[in-house]
Amino acid sequence: QVQLAESGGGLVQAGGSLRVSCAASGRAFSMYAMGWFRQAPGKEREFVAAISRNTASIKYADSVKGRFTISRDNAKNTVYLQMNSLKHEDTAVYYCAAHPRGWNTDRLSEYDYWGQGTQVTVPS
């Protein structure tokens, strides 16, 4: 089992950058594929980015491709989401998630563990 805790959210002006982090505790972080999802008010939770155990496979939602970068540091038990060129429509609560199976996935239902989320706000 793994526990996840996001940090680094905040308010940033459009066009700015922000990096959110997700620290994992528990067993064998390197055995988990990790993902970032987000949920805006009144909307369903949606996929943002995912990274495999060994970083060989990375996926992005079309809406963030070229602007966001997911990475992980297995020695620090942490996954990051670097967000550049932020837009108002990126405003949401950002969640990290983990699953212990081998494949990389953008499907919310395949993730077993979730953090509590961190708010990112980009004023219009």
Side-chain angles (χ1 to χ4, degrees):
Q1 197 169 12
V2 63
Q3 294 79 43
L4 305 173
E6 302 91 339
S7 62
L11 188 149
V12 59
Q13 297 302 313
S17 298
L18 197 66
R19 188 178 78 164
V20 291
S21 303
C22 173
S25 59
R27 300 178 60 184
F29 172 73
S30 62
M31 297 302 294
Y32 291 86
M34 301 297 297
W36 283 99
F37 292 78
R38 66 186 181 186
Q39 188 166 18
K43 295 187 177 181
E44 294 186 351
R45 195 171 297 189
E46 65 175 7
F47 170 74
V48 175
I51 188 167
S52 62
R53 299 170 179 175
N54 61 2
T55 74
S57 175
I58 290 177
K59 293 184 178 182
Y60 294 101
D62 288 343
S63 60
V64 306
K65 203 170 292 183
R67 300 188 298 121
F68 289 12
T69 302
I70 188 172
S71 62
R72 66 189 296 164
D73 186 336
N74 286 343
K76 295 183 178 180
N77 287 5
T78 302
V79 62
Y80 305 97
L81 185 68
Q82 176 68 44
M83 303 181 288
N84 299 329
S85 302
L86 281 160
K87 305 175 182 179
H88 173 62
E89 49 264 43
D90 295 318
T91 295
V93 177
Y94 283 72
Y95 298 90
C96 69
H99 75 83
R101 290 165 289 280
W103 56 85
N104 205 5
T105 179
D106 56 7
R107 297 182 65 177
L108 186 150
S109 61
E110 297 198 35
Y111 287 85
D112 298 311
Y113 306 103
W114 292 84
Q116 294 300 305
T118 186
Q119 176 72 46
V120 173
T121 302
V122 186
S124 57

